[in-house]
Amino acid sequence: NISPWERPFKRDSAYAELLALVVRHQEDLLSRMNDEEKEIFEKFSECSTEMHDLTEREAFVKGFTLGVKIIIEVMTNTREEE
């Protein structure tokens, strides 16, 4: 279970600032919701996370495939030059 999108980040980075805003707004939103709304929001969040994971995996596979094609092209051209 490799997760190429998971990575450490610096506390003073733009990513960290954005993450703090997301967490703050999510907490604010949840504090204003009743139990039914919280359940719907939780389902929405889970689906969004799953969709994000699928998108990231597809991007990783496409990037990896492109990298392999480039390596094959370079290796093929190197052999032809010899």
Side-chain angles (χ1 to χ4, degrees), residues 19-82:
L19 180 59
L21 283 173
V22 168
V23 169
R24 189 178 83 213
H25 292 310
Q26 180 176 337
E27 289 172 350
D28 185 36
L29 184 61
L30 288 171
S31 71
R32 299 166 189 250
M33 294 178 166
N34 62 38
D35 289 342
E36 183 181 355
E37 292 167 332
K38 287 178 183 178
E39 186 177 330
I40 293 169
F41 180 75
E42 181 67 28
K43 290 176 183 177
F44 167 79
S45 294
E46 289 171 1
C47 289
S48 293
T49 299
E50 189 174 336
M51 189 167 48
H52 176 74
D53 289 348
L54 288 173
T55 302
E56 290 292 326
R57 271 188 238 132
E58 288 175 7
F60 176 80
V61 169
K62 285 180 181 181
F64 187 84
T65 302
L66 177 60
V68 169
K69 287 178 180 179
I70 291 170
I71 290 170
I72 290 170
E73 183 69 25
V74 168
M75 297 299 287
T76 302
N77 289 337
T78 303
R79 289 185 181 158
E80 290 175 359
E81 291 175 2
E82 292 178 356

